[in-house]
Amino acid sequence: MGQDSRSGRIENERPTLYNGGLILLSKLLRIRLMARINDNYLKLKAGYLFPEISRRIKAFVAENPDASIIRLGIGDVTEPLPAACVEAMTKAVAEMGRRETFRGYMDDSQGYDWLREKIAAQDFRARDCDISADEVFVSEGSKSDTANVLDILAKGENRIAVCDPVYPVYVDTNVMAGNTGDPADGGKYAGVTYLPVTAENGFIPALPTEPVDVIYLCYPNNPTGTVLSKDELTKWVAYAKEHGSLLLFDAAYEAYITDESIPHSIYEIEGARDVAIEFRSFSKNAGFTGTRCAYTVIPRTLTGKTADGKDQLLHPLWARRHNTKFNGVSYIIQRGAEAVYTPDGQEQVRALIGFYLENARLLREGLQQIGIDVYGGVNAPYIWLKTPQGLSSWDFFDRLLKDGHLVGTPGSGFGAAGEGYFRLSAFNSREKVEQAVERFQRVAG
Ligand code: MLT
């Protein structure tokens, strides 16, 4: 692969005379070169962030078997599923055990109508967003959907923009798809537009100074826990309209918004239907990280460009992809997700969110007491902090683990601009969070 320095786009490298000769010879002689791999995977740096953290914890525990580790690293929920979901799933299991109510494949892997109707009505129309059930695609997770959406976009043609720091999946999947150049200095990849979000700019990404085609926005933000106002989101929709860009809006943490002025959905912004796909998940609101259910919204009117410059609706492309590569989320799980929309389910989800947000408050205030600069944690389950004494993110990780038996996530793991920052997740029991605050104050105070 090579990079066109003017457009920053990636092109296939021209074969050298030697390589070209070998390929020609093999074709002439019909010699097989064996199964070719996707070379883009070789560009990926080290492991995915969270497995790397697990590796370090494992090594530490092997040497310190008695250490009682408190994990505030990966944003994985700890509290049991809402009772309404458990009850609905239990009933669905019983239905699957009787001939009269047994279900096999769904007619359409997009999801059962009864779930998609409730999503459209309660998550969108209740907020004056013009979204209908047939624009909702139920899936097993937002992580996979943000990755899979690249299937319906041209490879190596689109200029990608991400915030820095960023949820690593957005970048890594573009590397895999061949939409980037090689790894560059500071943990970046050539050909990607990085939009820094740091304390200096109040964690508000500036609009790109160069034209970009696909823009990932995650709000409330992972990893910084910060939010964007309606005015800021309006700027992004206007930018996308002006430049023909596609916004990929990840709203996995919308249930944590406590400030009523903050939009929960990109479709609260006028015109967003024409420029944005939205990803939602049941993982962080109803605790489905192990249960697996999410959904993606692709408005019927949203278009992209074909190679010859014509407008093409994205909805039928995604529907085709979904039905070809996916057989749908299980009936039992979809019934569990549906229960989130019942009055009991809503109340229980609110209680869960309130519980984690109280954890976030304890962490935030505990850190502030020892003079640490803390961001996020008010409209999101993540606390983003400046590492003390100017320590690097990974040095601080190692120090917390060694001296406090405490695990967080190094900011630099989310991107170059995350260096010198550290993320704590509010997902844990109250007891563990209270202990974590004490340990943090002892080690970093
Ligand atoms: C995180 O810790 O960033 C999240 O748990 C990752 C995810 O939801 O996939």
Side-chain angles (χ1 to χ4, degrees):
M1 305 284 277
Q3 196 178 337
D4 174 335
S5 58
R6 189 180 41 83
S7 68
R9 288 184 181 159
I10 311 304
E11 293 180 337
N12 282 334
E13 207 170 296
R14 278 172 226 277
T16 62
L17 202 58
Y18 176 72
N19 281 343
L22 271 185
I23 291 167
L24 187 66
L25 188 67
S26 68
K27 278 190 180 153
L28 285 174
L29 298 176
R30 292 176 186 270
I31 300 170
R32 293 191 51 207
L33 290 175
M34 309 195 24
R36 277 288 313 276
I37 58 144
N38 177 351
D39 290 313
N40 294 312
Y41 276 67
L42 305 180
K43 290 190 225 162
L44 290 165
K45 283 167 287 140
Y48 181 56
L49 175 62
F50 295 107
E52 171 57 22
I53 290 175
S54 302
R55 195 189 61 74
R56 290 193 188 210
I57 301 172
K58 237 184 186 162
F60 180 79
V61 171
E63 283 178 21
N64 303 272
D66 297 331
S68 130
I69 309 253
I70 298 179
R71 293 166 196 257
L72 302 175
I74 190 163
D76 192 5
V77 294
T78 53
E79 302 309 295
L81 294 172
C85 301
V86 176
E87 201 181 305
M89 287 193 272
T90 308
K91 189 166 157 251
V93 170
E95 284 177 51
M96 293 296 271
R98 287 196 303 271
R99 177 170 301 280
E100 313 77 58
T101 46
F102 170 80
R103 292 173 192 240
Y105 289 129
M106 266 176 281
D107 292 341
D108 181 341
S109 69
Q110 193 170 344
Y112 286 106
D113 291 348
W114 35 260
L115 175 57
R116 290 188 293 119
E117 290 290 353
K118 289 187 182 82
I119 289 171
Q122 297 192 39
D123 287 347
F124 296 100
R125 289 202 294 277
R127 292 189 181 277
D128 289 333
C129 303
D130 176 20
I131 294 297
S132 60
D134 72 344
E135 295 175 317
V136 173
F137 293 79
V138 177
S139 71
E140 66 76 41
S142 285
K143 178 178 180 171
S144 5
D145 280 359
T146 58
N148 290 333
V149 74
L150 296 176
D151 272 10
I152 62 164
L153 301 176
K155 305 237 181 308
E157 297 279 336
N158 290 309
R159 178 92 189 187
I160 308 295
V162 293
C163 291
D164 178 10
V166 67
Y167 180 41
V169 171
Y170 310 152
V171 175
D172 286 1
T173 54
N174 274 286
V175 175
M176 292 168 179
N179 292 336
T180 75
D182 288 328
D185 288 343
K188 296 184 174 177
Y189 286 91
V192 175
T193 297
Y194 291 90
L195 310 165
V197 281
T198 59
E200 284 69 41
N201 62 11
F203 299 96
I204 297 176
L207 296 174
T209 49
E210 60 214 355
V212 297
D213 307 303
V214 178
I215 302 159
Y216 290 81
L217 291 177
C218 172
Y219 284 98
N221 185 251
N222 180 14
T224 64
T226 57
V227 287
L228 283 190
S229 68
K230 192 162 189 175
D231 283 352
E232 286 300 329
L233 289 173
T234 302
K235 286 184 199 164
W236 283 98
V237 169
Y239 176 94
K241 280 205 155 192
E242 188 187 336
H243 294 89
S245 328
L246 175 66
L247 296 182
L248 298 179
F249 191 77
D250 185 347
Y253 300 93
E254 63 75 35
Y256 289 82
I257 294 174
T258 53
D259 177 342
E260 281 179 12
S261 71
I262 301 295
H264 287 239
S265 164
I266 193 69
Y267 304 119
E268 288 179 50
I269 312 298
E270 207 185 316
R273 275 184 61 86
D274 301 329
V275 293
I277 291 176
E278 180 161 310
F279 304 93
R280 290 277 190 109
S281 171
F282 292 96
S283 285
K284 311 292 161 93
N285 60 354
F288 273 39
T289 53
T291 309
R292 310 305 310 150
C293 196
Y295 66 86
T296 288
V297 178
I298 306 213
R300 281 224 171 254
T301 45
L302 181 62
T303 58
K305 292 281 183 206
T306 61
D308 53 4
K310 294 200 186 82
D311 285 331
Q312 166 63 47
L313 293 170
L314 296 185
H315 187 283
L317 301 188
W318 184 251
R320 185 69 166 83
R321 189 227 167 254
H322 211 65
N323 278 313
T324 303
K325 294 196 173 183
F326 186 55
N327 261 333
V329 171
S330 94
Y331 172 71
I332 297 160
I333 304 300
Q334 290 197 56
R335 281 295 186 202
E338 184 195 24
V340 166
Y341 297 95
T342 61
D344 280 354
Q346 291 282 288
E347 198 184 313
Q348 290 157 10
V349 164
R350 261 197 304 276
L352 263 182
I353 303 284
F355 174 81
Y356 291 127
L357 281 175
E358 175 62 7
N359 282 352
R361 187 188 67 77
L362 291 171
L363 287 166
R364 219 178 49 240
E365 292 180 1
L367 268 51
Q368 279 165 344
Q369 276 166 19
I370 53 164
I372 292 195
D373 291 331
V374 186
Y375 310 94
V378 177
N379 293 295
Y382 296 122
I383 284 110
W384 188 246
L385 57 111
K386 225 47 215 111
T387 57
Q389 292 128 34
L391 284 174
S392 80
S393 302
W394 276 110
D395 283 351
F396 188 57
F397 173 92
D398 288 334
R399 173 146 140 210
L400 271 188
L401 179 58
K402 183 166 147 288
D403 298 342
H405 301 171
L406 201 55
V407 174
T409 311
S412 57
F414 297 102
E419 181 55 277
Y421 288 92
F422 200 76
R423 192 191 78 175
L424 292 178
S425 119
F427 295 117
N428 216 317
S429 67
R430 182 61 41 79
E431 189 192 355
K432 289 271 172 58
V433 165
E434 283 167 353
Q435 283 173 16
V437 171
E438 277 168 30
R439 291 188 193 184
F440 204 101
Q441 292 186 334
R442 180 167 49 77
V443 174

